[in-house]
Amino acid sequence: KAGVTQTPRYLIKTRGQQVTLSCSPISGHRSVSWYQQTPGQGLQFLFEYFSETQRNKGNFPGRFSGRQFSNSRSEMNVSTLELGDSALYLCASSVTLAGETQYFGPGTRLLVL
Amino acid sequence: KNQVEQSPQSLIILEGKNCTLQCNYTVSPFSNLRWYKQDTGRGPVSLTIMTFSENTKSNGRYTATLDADTKQSSLHITASQLSDSASYICVVTFYMRFGAGTRLTVKP
């Protein structure tokens, strides 16, 4: 069974631009969560989607948004990029919501210049 | 102050030795506590998940313990291997609070 895939793996943007990251969960998994990882703040939870609905949200500004499609694939969008948005963005999937083992993708490394 | 504190920040041990990593949390409510292993440049991998009522959970050479009364958890690694070199992250779910991780280096 293929693992969680994320595209692109690396991305360079400039301040003010917007970016869309994609995540394909493991087949049969309906929950997708997004996380931001930085050296200073560590791992932080962005949001979780299940059956196309956002079920949980972390403490991030409205510039960070996401969605999930009927095939469980998910996208995350960051608008008006700031230098501080440079990070590794990780996606994780699980069969259902909280309590299940999550499987992480390799991440998308975003650099904002 | 972080609601999930991990110690030590880093640890160096010799191959074959045992070690114990600590996680203290203040966050509540609590759904479950998870330990992840993250190799450099890769996504985290789940090691254990424990609910409020579970005291111990093992996964091969990894054994996690949980004391919900004192809000402490530990991850014990037995007979360490070079491949155990990684960051180990403690996560308390409900609000998804992450510890800063312990960086473990296993030397030959």
Side-chain angles (χ1 to χ4, degrees), chain A residues 67-106:
Chain A
R67 59 177 175 168
Q68 186 180 34
F69 302 97
S70 58
N71 62 358
S72 294
R73 191 177 69 84
S74 177
E75 287 183 348
M76 189 193 91
N77 185 76
V78 187
S79 62
T80 320
L81 284 166
E82 300 177 359
L83 296 179
D85 296 334
S86 295
L88 179 67
Y89 290 88
L90 291 159
C91 158
S93 76
S94 58
V95 176
T96 59
L97 286 171
E100 294 283 338
T101 298
Q102 287 187 315
Y103 297 86
F104 281 80

Side-chain angles (χ1 to χ4, degrees), chain A residues 35-80:
Chain A
Y35 302 88
Q36 181 196 68
Q37 187 172 33
T38 60
Q41 298 294 322
L43 266 166
Q44 295 183 90
F45 170 69
L46 280 158
F47 28 66
E48 178 178 23
Y49 286 88
F50 182 79
S51 293
E52 302 177 66
T53 301
Q54 187 180 94
R55 300 303 178 109
N56 265 314
K57 190 178 188 305
N59 190 26
F60 276 80
R63 300 185 298 106
F64 292 81
S65 63
R67 59 177 175 168
Q68 186 180 34
F69 302 97
S70 58
N71 62 358
S72 294
R73 191 177 69 84
S74 177
E75 287 183 348
M76 189 193 91
N77 185 76
V78 187
S79 62
T80 320

Side-chain angles (χ1 to χ4, degrees), chain A residues 9 35 37 42-45 56 88 90 97-107 109, chain B residues 31-32 34 36 38 41-46 49 89 91 93-100:
Chain A
R9 292 294 312 278
Y35 302 88
Q37 187 172 33
L43 266 166
Q44 295 183 90
F45 170 69
N56 265 314
L88 179 67
L90 291 159
L97 286 171
E100 294 283 338
T101 298
Q102 287 187 315
Y103 297 86
F104 281 80
R109 187 163 294 281
Chain B
S31 289
N32 54 60
R34 307 178 181 203
Y36 287 99
Q38 185 175 24
R42 308 190 72 169
V45 173
S46 179
I49 300 175
I89 302 168
V91 186
T93 67
F94 189 89
Y95 290 121
M96 295 301 289
R97 294 288 186 261
F98 291 82

Side-chain angles (χ1 to χ4, degrees), chain B:
Chain B
K1 183 176 162 65
N2 196 355
Q3 294 174 301
V4 181
E5 298 281 349
Q6 289 189 245
S7 61
Q9 275 190 319
S10 61
L11 184 61
I12 301 174
I13 62 173
L14 292 176
E15 186 179 14
K17 297 296 185 182
N18 303 335
C19 67
T20 300
L21 314 180
Q22 298 289 341
C23 174
N24 297 339
Y25 62 95
T26 58
V27 63
S28 112
F30 173 99
S31 289
N32 54 60
L33 187 144
R34 307 178 181 203
W35 282 94
Y36 287 99
K37 176 188 177 189
Q38 185 175 24
D39 293 312
T40 302
R42 308 190 72 169
V45 173
S46 179
L47 294 176
T48 62
I49 300 175
M50 288 184 293
T51 61
F52 183 88
S53 59
E54 293 177 295
N55 300 121
T56 305
K57 183 74 71 80
S58 291
N59 178 0
R61 294 179 298 101
Y62 301 100
T63 299
T65 64
L66 173 64
D67 185 334
D69 291 331
T70 61
K71 296 188 176 179
Q72 295 180 324
S73 177
S74 65
L75 180 69
H76 186 73
I77 304 174
T78 304
S80 61
Q81 300 176 357
L82 298 179
S83 59
D84 292 331
S85 294
S87 286
Y88 291 83
I89 302 168
C90 171
V91 186
V92 178
T93 67
F94 189 89
Y95 290 121
M96 295 301 289
R97 294 288 186 261
F98 291 82
T102 292
R103 179 72 208 174
L104 175 66
T105 302
V106 181
K107 295 201 166 184

